[in-house]
Amino acid sequence: MTEFTGYIGTYTKEKSKGVYKFTLDTEKQRITEVTLAAELDNPTYLTLGNHGDFLYSVAKEGDSGGIVAFSIGEKGNLIKLNDQMMPGSPPCHLSISNDSHNILTANYHTTVIASYLTNEDGSLQTPEEIIKHEGSGPHERQEKPHLHFAGFSPDEKYAVVVDLGSDRITTYEVNGGKLQRKNVFQTSPGSGPRHIVFHPNGNFAYVMTELSSEVLVFEYNQMDGRFNEIQAIPTIPNNFNEVNDGSAIQISSDGNFIYAGNRGHNSIAVFKVDEESGFLNFVEWTSTEGDWPRDFSLDPSEEFLVASNQKSNSLTLFQRDKTKGSLTLLQSDVYVPEPVCVKFR
């Protein structure tokens, strides 16, 4: 029997108390044992470091926001190490380097990215770098920068920041936690880029847009960190005229399939990747059986996918066909209050 532990970041505006954990039983194909792992205010996004020994979460503390470091115990329980807070709203996204020594955060409200180094025990140092972004876009929600993603290029030579508010993807050269801006790509006005994933070959990247509900396909230059857009493909049907906000995007580790979340259409769009050109071909839409799927994640075996439906307070479990990319519903209505982010240990 193989079991995986998953963690769920949440909003704590209503009934949620913080970070939750669950067990995915791959033999029974069920999610079980949903429990509170740590009390925390608005831990909406999580990341795990050092082969699952540490967990880092964004969080709110009074009028300040920042990140909290936890060590993970034998039974998956979370033990707080320390935190780093600064005045203002908490970040909405964070990523960690492969060696677990550098963490990047993106802040939707305060328009800053921050870079932190970690200590050997997993605790956080004070920020190495804090950079404020400026700009705007034509959409009513683009009155200022809204940074929604900060992460690393595959070789970790660059940090990549995705700005929904000014339709920009910015690359920074990374040096010991310090960041130096190198290149900026301007997406179509009003598209609202949100999250990015890279193809395992490092030559292509895929960006989910929140406002235009598209996946943008890019050639990526690993030498200088530049992007070149080669395709834009919609994630919702042409005849869907209700409100939809694009959400999460994931790529399978073999680089063959892209998954993109739709809040409003309440679905996950599946695309097949052409390995030579990087172009996407539509496969299917799958209902998430809930309302407002803000995030989803493939499990470590990539035979399953778990989606989090924020407004219906639920997780949904799918089996994934590794050959076709398609998703088959296994379990819905797994109760979790205000779920946002799903990460597996």
Side-chain angles (χ1 to χ4, degrees), residues 251-262:
I251 187 168
S252 56
S253 61
D254 58 13
N256 288 336
F257 295 98
I258 287 283
Y259 298 86
N262 292 303

Side-chain angles (χ1 to χ4, degrees), residues 55-186:
L55 181 144
Y56 300 90
S57 174
V58 304
K60 181 176 181 290
E61 190 176 274
D63 294 328
S64 296
I67 52 177
V68 182
F70 296 93
S71 63
I72 301 179
E74 287 186 12
K75 297 182 179 180
N77 56 308
L78 300 181
I79 303 137
K80 182 176 177 179
L81 297 173
N82 74 333
D83 60 44
Q84 293 291 342
M85 297 287 169
M86 62 182 75
S89 299
C92 67
H93 185 272
L94 78 169
S95 298
I96 193 166
S97 60
N98 288 329
D99 64 7
S100 298
H101 289 325
N102 193 183
I103 294 175
L104 302 173
T105 66
N107 199 305
Y108 184 93
H109 295 285
T110 67
T111 76
V112 302
I113 57 169
S115 174
Y116 302 82
L117 297 180
T118 62
N119 298 308
E120 288 299 319
D121 65 356
S123 60
L124 298 158
Q125 298 180 21
T126 56
E128 282 289 315
E129 192 90 74
I130 299 173
I131 299 174
K132 189 174 181 66
H133 280 226
E134 296 182 355
S136 61
H139 192 278
E140 62 182 3
R141 291 178 51 201
Q142 294 181 309
E143 79 289 353
K144 66 177 183 178
H146 289 304
L147 309 181
H148 225 304
F149 176 97
F152 296 92
S153 62
D155 59 7
E156 300 195 339
K157 180 180 177 182
Y158 295 103
V160 180
V161 177
V162 182
D163 178 6
L164 183 152
S166 59
D167 299 314
R168 288 174 183 159
I169 303 168
T170 304
T171 48
Y172 291 86
E173 191 168 359
V174 182
N175 184 9
K178 297 291 186 181
L179 305 176
Q180 182 178 0
R181 192 169 81 164
K182 298 296 289 186
N183 290 297
V184 178
F185 182 88
Q186 191 82 40

Side-chain angles (χ1 to χ4, degrees), residues 16 29 42 67-68 104 115-116 118 144 177 186 191 202-203 205 208 214 221-222 244 249 253 256 296 306 313 322-323:
S16 173
Q29 300 185 337
N42 274 5
I67 52 177
V68 182
L104 302 173
S115 174
Y116 302 82
T118 62
K144 66 177 183 178
Q186 191 82 40
S191 57
N203 296 323
M208 182 69 187
E214 297 171 297
N221 188 320
Q222 299 181 57
N244 188 79
I249 185 168
S253 61
N256 288 336
F296 58 86
V306 177
N313 302 306
K322 289 187 173 182
T323 302

